[in-house]
């Protein structure tokens, strides 16, 4: 460039000195042009140098940092998945079935196969709830048995018993490089987490091994998700010995590449970094990173011709700009007395416009046309970024609403700008949540149909809600949708009525337009965003009563509340006695307590509708309470709709009582059958006798039982729960409360004396527990007991 400028000025000077003049003379304009030309040349040169250094150099460092950041992102993604896998496996290994299987300790063959079935079920659930896992192996070195989620191998042959090779590994756990494993159906390429059993045990003290297999494709998909927008080079992972863990070229799996020169260099280095090398005659940039968790090497190899393409483009652009500016400066200098500003204005116009640019074509023009194409490409990239942001808004909207429903976002001002970004408007207060369930009458919907119809419901709901109020609706899965409504004015009762009216309109429209059956549960209205989870829980509870109120209806949480909440509360508390009798399968007491409850309902002058509601609530509470006994609640719940119809059609209270008792009698029969399969536990029976003799002692606890019976408190707690279907504290409270009721009925002891007699040092604590357990204070209970004694004949009804 300097030579060109020199030649231009030399020609100009030769014209001035032509004619044989011995002394060179310069005109004023020549001097001005020389001065300004020199200044412009210096400015342009410095600008070019600084721009080149600041732009090209920084871009090169940014490209390297970007590639290393991508490797770090892959590493972190794999580490999070692997640590979660290890955590989930440790949780599974704490199950009691593992102890029996690993130690091969069974009372008889029936217990052995029962344990095998239970453990196999938990293994299948473990795999089903973790889609990234392909299979799980459990090997007992005591019995030499192997169990997977698909197969059981007794005295497993050596070809399948590959876990025995790792029984003496020095670590507690180890991640194995990609290898093939037979899972009962066929061989799979997997990456395996090996874990000793017990979890923290040294070689020689181990009873077995547990292995979780993750398909190699899962790991590759994690890598591919990070590099999905890039088609440059290769990305793969190797272990410390140079064996390939995963590779974008599947023909490389199981290959050892430690002898390759660039791999030797990577294996010799620590941490993360980059270097260049020549592979197959092509200059390549090699990026590497050590995984602190697995010890693997993450490697990305990219041809320099691709990775430095943006740098070359920027460099050529800067050169073109510098050359153009010098040429323009010369033109301005030579035409300063005429139309000097026209070229400059054209340059400014060109630089402020928008242009088209294609990175794949070769550019021979390094002038302003090339600059135009660069700026056009910049504008196109900006449009692509805006489109990406628009496409991500539905996901962001779903995430924000889920955070509000579960209570992660409770500050309206903090979430306001996020709502505005996704185009959602909510008022700052007066919130209410509804939960809707979408079905099609007579048809079982598939997952795709559920998603489609739920999406249609959300669109219709938002359109109708936002006409006068504000709201947002999302699909929460399983054919259900959650709706948050916000109101500009009105109290909680007014807004609740508005919500009911809006939901009625929505379900009618869904029926007419899509022939869908929509059932909606409506929670209460609250003034602050932090209470949205409460309203959401209430709406789900209301929706649970669709069996009572029928489908294609709007069920309010207020519909579930009795007219006289105090009387109804006391009656519901009487259900605790019923569930206790149900759990111990005492049919005599069960019938007696059901009869007393209905008699009490009549004495309190409850309406027939409330007594029907009470009947169904007793059944619901009983079904929920027997869940701990192992009874399938879904099977029991499936009968509730028929039971409700029978209760509604019943002509008198005795028939209603008979229906309730017969249903509970069936549950008691199921519990008794379940317990007969479980067998007895002599240790827990001795503990129960000990509790019955010492419950009045205030220091009775699990630790004391552990010392008395020479067992760990954790073991006693687990066995106690399995045998009694109740935890120790609840059982002890029940024993003490039953004893206190007997003392109160005897009438000869004061409340504080009864408190001490049943093991409470603090009378206030006793009063609080008794109130919560029975629904009455001790004085109220004693008065009621005395009233019951006076009424010798009891209450009768037809």
């Amino acid at each position: 460039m300097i030579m060109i400028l020199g030649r231009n000025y030399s020609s100009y000077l030769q014209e001035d000195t032509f004619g044989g003049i011995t002394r060179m003379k310069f005109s004023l304009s020549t001097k001005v042009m020389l001065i300004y030309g020199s200044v412009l040349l210096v400015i342009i040169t410095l600008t070019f140098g600084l721009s080149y250094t600041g732009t090209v150099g920084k871009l090169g460092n940014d490209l390297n940092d970007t590639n290393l950041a991508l490797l770090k992102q892959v590493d972190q993604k794999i580490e999070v998945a692997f640590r979660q896998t290890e955590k989930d496996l440790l949780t599974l290994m704490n199950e009691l079935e593992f102890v029996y299987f690993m130690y091969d300790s069974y009372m008889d063959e029936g217990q052995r196969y029962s344990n095998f079935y239970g453990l196999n079920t938990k293994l299948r659930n473990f795999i089903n709830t973790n889609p990234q896992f392909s299979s799980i192996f459990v090997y007992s070195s005591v019995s030499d048995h192997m169990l997977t989620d698909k197969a059981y191998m007794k005295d497993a042959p050596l070809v399948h018993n590959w876990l025995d090779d790792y029984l003496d590994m020095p670590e507690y756990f180890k991640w194995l490089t990609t290898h093939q494993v037979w899972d009962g159906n066929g061989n799979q390429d997997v990456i395996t987490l090996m874990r000793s059993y017990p979890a923290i045990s040294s070689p020689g003290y181990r009873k077995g091994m547990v292995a979780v297999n993750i398909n190699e494709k899962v790991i590759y998909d994690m890598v591919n998700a990070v590099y999905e927008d890039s088609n440059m080079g290769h990305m793969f992972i190797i272990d410390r010995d140079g064996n390939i863990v995963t590779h974008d070229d599947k023909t490389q799996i199981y290959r050892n590449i430690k002898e390759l020169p660039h791999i030797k260099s990577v294996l010799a280095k620590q941490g993360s970094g980059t270097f260049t090398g020549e592979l197959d005659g092509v200059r390549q940039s090699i990026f590497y990173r050590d995984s602190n968790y697995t010890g693997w090497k993450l490697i990305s190899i990219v041809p320099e011709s691709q990775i430095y393409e943006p740098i070359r483009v920027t460099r050529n652009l800067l050169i073109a700009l510098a050359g153009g500016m010098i040429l323009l400066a010369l033109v301005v200098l030579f035409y300063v007395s005429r139309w000097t500003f026209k070229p400059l204005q054209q340059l400014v116009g060109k630089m402020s416009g928008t242009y088209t640019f294609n990175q794949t074509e070769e550019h021979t023009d390094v002038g302003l046309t090339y600059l135009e194409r660069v700026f056009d490409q910049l504008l196109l990239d900006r449009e692509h970024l805006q489109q990406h942001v628009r496409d991500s808004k539905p996901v962001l909207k779903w995430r924000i609403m889920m955070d509000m429903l579960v209570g992660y976002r409770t500050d309206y001002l903090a979430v306001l700008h996020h709502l505005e970004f996704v185009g959602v408007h909510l008022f700052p207060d007066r919130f209410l949540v509804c939960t809707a369930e979408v079905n099609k009458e007579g048809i079982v919907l598939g997952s795709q149909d559920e998603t489609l119809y739920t999406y249609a419901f959300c669109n219709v709901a938002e359109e109708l809600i936002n006409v006068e109020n504000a709201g947002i609706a999302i699909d929460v899965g399983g054919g259900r949708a959650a709706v948050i409504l916000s109101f500009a004015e009105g109290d909680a009762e007014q807004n609740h009525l508005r919500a009911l009216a809006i939901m009625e309109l929505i379900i009618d429209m869904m029926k007419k337009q899509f022939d869908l059956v929509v059932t909606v549960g409506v929670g209460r209205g609250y003034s602050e965003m932090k209470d949205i989870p409460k309203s959401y829980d209430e709406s789900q509870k209301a929706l649970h009563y669709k069996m009572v109120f029928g489908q294609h209806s709007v069920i309010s949480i207020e519909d579930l509340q009795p007219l006289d909440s105090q009387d109804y509360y006391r009656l519901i508390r009487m259900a605790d006695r019923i569930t206790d009798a149900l759990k111990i399968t005492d049919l005599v007491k069960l019938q007696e307590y059901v009869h007393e409850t209905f008699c009490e309902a009549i004495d309190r002058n409850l309406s027939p509708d409330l007594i029907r509601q009470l009947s169904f609530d007793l059944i619901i509470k009983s079904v929920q309470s027997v869940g701990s006994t192992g009874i399938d609640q879904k099977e029991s719940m499936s009968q509730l709709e028929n039971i409700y119809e029978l209760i509604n059609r019943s002509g008198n209270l005795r028939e209603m009582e008979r229906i309730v008792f017969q249903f509970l009698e069936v549950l008691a029969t199921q519990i008794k059958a379940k317990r007969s399969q479980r067998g007895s536990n002599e240790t827990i029976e001795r503990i129960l006798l000990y509790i019955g003799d010492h419950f009045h002692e205030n220091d009775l606890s699990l630790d004391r039982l552990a010392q008395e019976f020479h067992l760990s408190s954790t073991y006693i707690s687990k066995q106690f729960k399995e045998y009694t279907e109740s935890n120790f504290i609840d059982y002890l409270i029940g024993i003490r409360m039953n004893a206190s009721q007997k003392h109160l009925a005897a009438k000869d002891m004061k409340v504080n004396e009864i408190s001490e007699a049943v093991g409470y040092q603090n009378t206030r604590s006793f009063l609080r527990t008794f109130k919560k357990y029975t629904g009455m204070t001790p004085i109220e209970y004693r008065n009621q007991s005395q009233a019951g004694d006076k009424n010798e004949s009891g209450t009768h009804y037809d």
Side-chain angles (χ1 to χ4, degrees):
M1 297 178 187
I2 297 174
M3 294 176 63
I4 294 174
L5 182 59
R7 287 196 296 269
N8 290 339
Y9 278 109
S10 297
S11 300
Y12 188 78
L13 291 174
Q14 286 174 1
E15 293 177 358
D16 288 346
T17 57
F18 185 77
I21 299 176
T22 57
R23 187 174 179 178
M24 186 177 298
K25 296 181 179 180
F26 297 93
S27 64
L28 181 61
S29 61
T30 302
K31 292 180 180 180
V32 171
M33 285 190 289
L34 287 173
I35 293 172
Y36 280 102
S38 300
V39 172
L40 288 174
L41 182 60
V42 171
I43 293 174
I44 292 171
T45 303
L46 289 175
T47 302
F48 172 78
L50 293 174
S51 299
Y52 185 89
T53 303
T55 303
V56 176
K58 186 177 184 302
L59 183 58
N61 293 332
D62 290 344
L63 289 173
N64 289 337
D65 292 342
T66 299
N67 281 276
L68 292 176
L70 289 175
L71 289 181
K72 181 179 180 181
Q73 186 176 351
V74 172
D75 183 22
Q76 291 175 342
K77 195 171 185 179
I78 293 176
E79 181 176 347
V80 169
F82 280 9
R83 286 190 182 276
Q84 186 62 42
T85 299
E86 184 183 356
K87 180 180 177 182
D88 293 343
L89 182 59
L90 287 174
T91 301
L92 179 64
M93 289 170 61
N94 287 329
E95 298 293 338
L96 187 60
E97 287 83 351
F98 266 84
V99 179
Y100 290 139
F101 180 84
M102 289 299 185
Y103 287 87
D104 195 31
S105 175
Y106 307 101
M107 296 178 60
D108 51 34
E109 287 299 312
Q111 186 185 7
R112 176 191 300 274
Y113 288 109
S114 176
N115 188 72
F116 281 4
Y117 174 77
L119 181 55
N120 181 256
T121 301
K122 291 186 176 181
L123 294 181
R124 288 198 305 271
N125 293 337
F126 180 76
I127 295 299
N128 293 335
T129 56
N130 296 273
Q132 69 270 26
F133 302 155
S134 62
S135 59
I136 182 171
F137 286 69
V138 181
Y139 167 65
S140 170
S141 60
V142 177
S143 63
D144 205 30
H145 294 172
M146 183 181 294
L147 185 66
T148 76
D149 57 305
K150 298 184 180 67
Y152 164 65
M153 290 170 278
K154 183 177 181 181
D155 299 325
L158 294 178
V159 66
H160 297 312
N161 188 6
W162 53 277
L163 280 76
D164 185 64
D165 297 336
Y166 298 93
L167 198 62
D168 294 327
M169 67 180 185
E171 307 92 349
Y172 297 136
F173 74 97
K174 183 177 183 180
W175 283 95
L176 304 183
T177 309
T178 303
H179 61 116
Q180 283 198 342
V181 169
W182 183 80
D183 65 349
N185 295 329
N187 291 324
Q188 291 190 356
D189 297 331
V190 297
I191 295 165
T192 301
L193 168 61
M194 301 294 301
R195 187 80 209 193
S196 63
Y197 189 92
I200 302 179
S201 57
S202 303
Y205 297 92
R206 295 171 179 165
K207 302 303 179 183
M209 300 294 295
V210 183
V212 175
N213 299 313
I214 301 177
N215 197 296
E216 181 270 340
K217 185 178 182 301
V218 174
I219 307 302
Y220 174 71
D221 289 341
M222 293 183 186
V223 177
N224 191 47
V226 177
Y227 283 85
E228 61 182 353
D229 295 329
S230 174
N231 297 318
M232 298 191 303
H234 294 284
M235 165 63 196
F236 56 93
I237 303 175
I238 63 174
D239 63 11
R240 294 186 181 93
D241 299 324
N243 297 307
I244 291 181
V245 178
T246 186
H247 201 293
D248 53 0
D249 182 4
K250 297 307 178 184
T251 61
Q252 301 294 322
I253 302 297
Y254 301 113
R255 181 184 174 189
N256 188 292
I257 58 175
K258 68 179 180 180
E259 296 301 325
L260 297 179
H262 59 287
I263 299 301
K264 285 183 177 180
S265 299
V266 171
L267 292 174
K269 298 178 183 295
Q270 300 293 328
S272 62
T274 180
F275 61 94
T276 58
E278 189 167 316
L279 305 178
D280 299 327
V282 179
R283 196 70 177 172
Q284 309 272 3
S285 291
I286 302 167
F287 302 88
Y288 64 91
R289 177 182 177 83
D290 284 340
S291 173
N292 295 327
Y293 179 69
T294 61
W296 295 343
K297 296 276 188 179
L298 287 74
I299 303 173
S300 175
I301 300 178
V302 183
E304 285 192 354
S305 60
Q306 295 180 1
I307 195 171
Y308 291 118
E309 179 66 21
I311 296 179
R312 283 195 293 270
V313 171
T314 304
R315 180 196 62 195
N316 294 339
L317 175 61
L318 291 175
I319 293 174
L321 284 173
M325 291 176 67
I326 291 175
L327 292 176
L328 180 61
L330 292 175
V331 172
V332 171
L333 291 173
F334 285 114
Y335 295 95
V336 66
S337 60
R338 287 174 285 180
W339 38 296
T340 56
F341 294 101
K342 185 176 180 180
L344 182 60
Q345 292 172 350
Q346 290 177 344
L347 176 62
V348 174
K350 294 292 184 181
M351 294 182 66
S352 62
T354 56
Y355 312 92
T356 303
F357 177 69
N358 187 357
Q359 290 184 348
T360 60
E361 66 179 79
E362 296 184 0
H363 304 290
T364 58
D365 180 9
V366 293
L368 296 178
T369 303
Y370 180 63
L371 180 60
E372 294 174 8
R373 288 196 290 268
V374 171
F375 284 118
D376 191 42
Q377 182 63 35
L378 293 176
L379 181 62
L380 184 61
D381 291 344
R382 179 175 177 273
E383 293 176 352
H384 289 166
L385 179 60
Q386 290 176 338
Q387 181 64 36
H388 178 72
V389 172
R390 287 193 296 270
D391 293 341
S392 65
K393 282 185 178 181
V395 177
L396 182 58
K397 169 185 172 183
W398 184 90
R399 181 70 269 170
I400 293 172
M401 184 168 174
M402 287 302 299
D403 287 348
M404 290 191 292
L405 291 174
V406 301
Y408 289 154
R409 296 177 185 262
T410 58
D411 187 351
Y412 176 81
L413 295 179
V415 79
L416 178 60
H417 67 283
H418 295 292
L419 295 174
E420 292 175 346
F421 177 76
V422 297
V424 173
H425 171 63
L426 289 179
F427 295 111
D429 49 19
R430 301 180 184 90
F431 299 97
L432 184 145
V433 181
C434 303
T435 302
E437 187 174 272
V438 181
N439 290 297
K440 205 169 183 67
E441 193 169 2
I443 299 176
V444 178
L445 299 178
S447 58
Q448 293 183 348
D449 291 336
E450 282 183 346
T451 302
L452 179 62
Y453 290 136
T454 307
Y455 177 77
F457 170 84
C458 292
N459 288 340
V460 172
E462 289 187 353
E463 181 178 355
L464 293 178
I465 291 170
N466 288 291
V467 172
E468 294 182 340
N469 303 290
I472 177 175
I474 61 166
D475 183 357
V476 294
R480 287 193 174 189
V483 184
I484 297 179
L485 293 90
S486 179
F487 303 90
E489 58 184 7
D491 56 24
E493 183 176 356
Q494 289 175 324
N495 293 331
H496 192 81
L497 293 176
R498 292 171 184 167
L500 293 175
I502 294 172
M503 289 300 120
E504 291 283 357
L505 182 61
I506 292 173
I507 67 172
D508 289 341
M509 184 171 293
M510 296 298 294
K511 182 68 174 179
K512 293 177 182 178
Q513 294 188 0
F514 304 98
D515 194 27
L516 292 177
V517 176
V518 181
T519 309
V520 181
V522 181
R524 295 185 179 90
Y526 293 92
S527 60
E528 297 181 5
M529 180 175 284
K530 68 178 182 179
D531 294 321
I532 284 179
K534 294 181 183 178
S535 184
Y536 182 48
D537 291 340
E538 291 168 353
S539 68
Q540 291 178 308
K541 180 180 179 181
L543 185 62
H544 183 70
Y545 277 74
K546 64 181 180 180
M547 296 180 184
V548 179
F549 296 91
Q551 293 186 337
H552 198 68
S553 60
V554 177
I555 306 170
S556 169
I557 187 65
E558 301 294 344
D559 296 339
L560 312 183
Q561 302 302 315
L563 296 178
D564 188 344
S565 59
Q566 184 63 27
D567 288 345
Y568 196 83
Y569 172 76
R570 292 181 179 179
L571 285 173
I572 287 299
R573 291 301 302 173
M574 294 179 68
D576 292 339
R577 299 189 305 167
I578 295 175
T579 56
D580 291 341
L582 179 62
K583 288 182 179 179
I584 63 175
T585 64
D586 189 339
L587 296 181
V588 175
K589 286 188 176 180
L590 182 64
Q591 188 172 17
E592 177 185 348
Y593 292 156
V594 171
H595 179 72
E596 289 180 1
T597 302
F598 276 87
C599 290
E600 184 71 15
I602 295 175
D603 290 342
R604 296 184 182 277
N605 296 321
L606 292 185
S607 67
D609 289 338
L610 280 181
I611 296 179
R612 288 190 178 92
Q613 178 69 35
L614 172 65
S615 302
F616 200 77
D617 282 343
L618 291 176
I619 292 176
I620 290 289
K621 192 174 182 67
S622 300
V623 171
Q624 292 174 344
S625 68
V626 301
S628 60
T629 65
I631 302 300
D632 187 359
Q633 292 191 28
K634 291 184 178 179
E635 181 179 350
S636 301
M637 286 291 187
S638 63
Q639 307 173 22
L640 295 186
E641 189 168 354
N642 293 332
I643 294 295
Y644 179 71
E645 292 296 327
L646 291 175
I647 292 174
N648 268 343
R649 292 199 302 265
S650 61
N652 55 68
L653 298 180
R654 183 174 296 279
E655 182 180 356
M656 195 181 303
E657 178 187 341
R658 179 184 56 79
I659 294 171
V660 173
F661 175 72
Q662 287 179 348
F663 182 84
L664 299 182
E665 188 177 25
V666 173
L667 283 182
T669 303
Q670 294 175 354
I671 294 173
K672 187 177 293 185
K674 194 74 176 180
R675 287 175 178 163
S676 65
Q677 298 174 0
R678 185 177 300 159
S680 62
N681 190 320
E682 295 180 358
T683 300
I684 300 302
E685 289 177 354
R686 289 192 293 112
I687 290 176
L688 292 177
L689 292 175
Y690 184 86
I691 294 172
D693 294 335
H694 298 273
F695 71 88
H696 58 278
E697 300 173 7
N698 58 64
D699 63 341
L700 184 60
S701 64
L702 276 176
D703 290 337
R704 176 174 166 182
L705 293 177
Q707 295 176 1
E708 184 72 25
F709 291 90
H710 305 291
L711 297 169
S712 70
S713 58
T714 303
Y715 177 80
I716 292 177
S717 176
K718 185 176 183 64
Q719 294 294 317
F720 195 93
K721 176 71 174 179
E722 291 183 355
Y723 187 75
T724 66
E725 298 153 4
S726 173
N727 59 49
F728 168 75
I729 294 298
D730 291 342
Y731 183 84
L732 180 59
I733 290 174
I735 291 290
R736 288 174 170 174
M737 292 300 103
N738 289 335
S740 64
Q741 290 173 2
K742 293 179 181 178
H743 288 310
L744 287 168
K747 312 174 188 176
D748 56 352
M749 294 179 69
K750 297 180 180 179
V751 173
N752 61 338
E753 294 174 346
I754 295 174
S755 171
E756 294 179 1
V758 296
Y760 285 90
Q761 285 184 320
N762 191 318
T763 304
R764 184 181 297 274
S765 177
F766 168 73
L767 293 174
R768 183 172 58 249
T769 304
F770 191 91
K771 173 74 173 180
K772 185 174 181 181
Y773 188 83
T774 64
M776 295 178 284
T777 66
I779 300 302
E780 290 174 342
Y781 183 86
R782 172 170 281 172
N783 293 337
Q784 186 185 60
S785 177
Q786 293 174 355
D789 292 341
K790 294 178 180 179
N791 188 3
E792 296 179 354
S793 61
T795 303
H796 302 279
Y797 54 83
D798 294 327

